Amino acid sequence: MTKLIVALDVDSLAEAEKAVDKLGGKVEWFKVGKQLFTAEGPAIVEMLKKKGFKVFLDLKFHDIPNTVAQAVKSALSIGADMVNFHATGGSEMIRTAVEKNRPNYPNAELIAVTVLTSSGQSVLDELQVAGTPEDAVLRFAGLAKNAGADGVVCSALEIEALKKAYGSEFKVVVPGIRPKGSSVDDQKRIMTPKQASDLGADYIVVGRPIMKAADPVAAAEAVLAELSI
Ligand SMILES: O=c1ccn([C@@H]2O[C@H](COP(=O)(O)O)[C@@H](O)[C@H]2O)c(=O)[nH]1
C-alpha cells in the first residue's frame, strides 16, 4: 500500500506544528527538508517524534564518504526514520553511510536520490548526463542498490521500470505528485496520486498541493482517497 508523506516546507517550528496538529489524524509521515531544518534544526524532528509521527529527513546529503556517513548517523540519532543522500555521490559514499549506520539503526530507511523530479531532459543534457531521465534513474538506482541503499527517490514515471529491474522490495519514494487540476509549480516529471499508487509507489511525497491548499485537511483526504489499498 502506498503511504503519504506530507512535505512540511514551511519556515518555522510554530507553522509546522500548526499544520501537523491539523493533519495529524490523517497522516502518519512528515518530511522535513532543507527549508525547515535549516531554520529550526533537530527541534523539529523532536516535535514530530514526540507526537508519534514518522519522519523523513530530506537533507539529500552529498559529500565525502566519511562526512555523509556521520551526517546520516546524526540524522538517525535525532530520530529520523528515513534519510537520504544523492546517488551521484557514488558507491563508496553510499556504502560507507549504510555500513556505518545499519548495525545501530536496522529499521531506518536509507534512500538514494536519483534524478530530481524538477529535472527533465534539458537538465540532463546541460549536465552531459547520458540518456533519458528514465535511463539515468535506472543507472543511479542500480548503483545505489548495489551499495546497500533500501530504495530511491524518483518520479512516478520510473516506478514500473525500477520495480521490474530491482524488485518490489526496493523502495520507491515519489515526489512530483500533482492531483488533477493542481499547479505544477517547478516540478517536471509528475503524476497524480492515483497513477503513482497504481504503479506501485511505496511512498508519495506531497507538499504544496496540501500545504498551500485553502483547506489542507480536505486536500490530504482527497490524496489519501486516491491511494490503492
Ligand atoms: O526529486 C525530488 C526530491 C525531493 N523533492 C522534495 O519533495 C517535496 C515536493 O514538494 P511539492 O510542493 O509537492 O512539489 C519538496 O520538499 C522537495 O524538496 C522533490 O520534489 N523532488
Side-chain angles (χ1 to χ4, degrees):
M1 191 193 160
T2 306
K3 291 185 174 161
L4 169 64
I5 304 177
V6 174
L8 284 174
D9 290 332
V10 294
D11 288 329
S12 67
L13 194 147
E15 239 182 300
E17 192 160 14
K18 210 167 134 192
V20 162
D21 288 342
K22 274 192 202 153
L23 294 167
K26 315 276 168 202
V27 178
E28 185 195 356
W29 278 86
F30 287 97
K31 182 176 88 65
V32 176
K34 289 172 178 163
Q35 178 185 354
L36 184 56
F37 195 80
T38 303
E40 296 287 4
I44 186 76
V45 179
E46 201 178 304
M47 178 276 285
L48 289 166
K49 294 309 295 179
K50 260 194 200 147
K51 292 178 189 279
F53 296 109
K54 295 272 199 180
V55 177
F56 173 17
L57 192 55
D58 176 22
L59 298 179
K60 300 185 188 70
F61 299 126
H62 189 168
D63 210 313
I64 63 171
N66 180 62
T67 299
V68 169
Q70 296 297 344
V72 168
K73 180 180 161 205
S74 297
L76 297 174
S77 74
I78 62 171
D81 300 283
M82 180 187 289
V83 299
N84 61 0
F85 30 71
H86 277 284
T88 49
S91 312
E92 186 190 341
M93 184 199 83
I94 296 172
R95 191 169 293 114
T96 308
V98 171
E99 286 176 359
K100 171 107 195 156
N101 291 292
R102 183 78 77 209
N104 294 328
Y105 300 95
N107 298 321
E109 297 191 87
L110 306 176
I111 302 291
V113 179
T114 57
V115 177
L116 294 172
T117 54
S118 56
S119 297
Q121 187 66 52
S122 62
V123 173
L124 297 189
D125 294 345
E126 187 180 41
L127 297 171
Q128 300 190 20
V129 173
T132 62
E134 181 177 305
D135 297 332
V137 168
L138 282 168
R139 261 194 334 269
F140 296 162
L143 177 151
K145 184 168 192 273
N146 287 334
D150 297 304
V152 287
V153 176
C154 62
S155 89
L157 280 83
E158 297 95 36
I159 297 172
E160 224 174 343
L162 280 169
K163 291 286 186 183
K164 196 170 160 206
Y166 304 120
S168 60
E169 294 304 300
F170 192 59
K171 302 272 166 57
V172 293
V173 181
V174 182
I177 296 296
R178 287 295 178 271
K180 253 189 210 141
S182 61
S183 167
V184 170
D185 307 307
D186 50 357
Q187 297 286 2
K188 298 284 183 314
R189 302 190 339 275
I190 60 168
M191 277 200 191
T192 67
K194 175 163 175 44
Q195 288 169 323
S197 183
D198 287 349
L199 287 164
D202 295 285
Y203 298 93
I204 59 165
V205 176
V206 184
R208 287 163 287 187
I210 290 176
M211 296 295 289
K212 300 249 186 245
D215 182 347
V217 175
E221 282 171 344
V223 168
L224 287 166
E226 287 192 43
L227 304 185
S228 321
I229 299 163

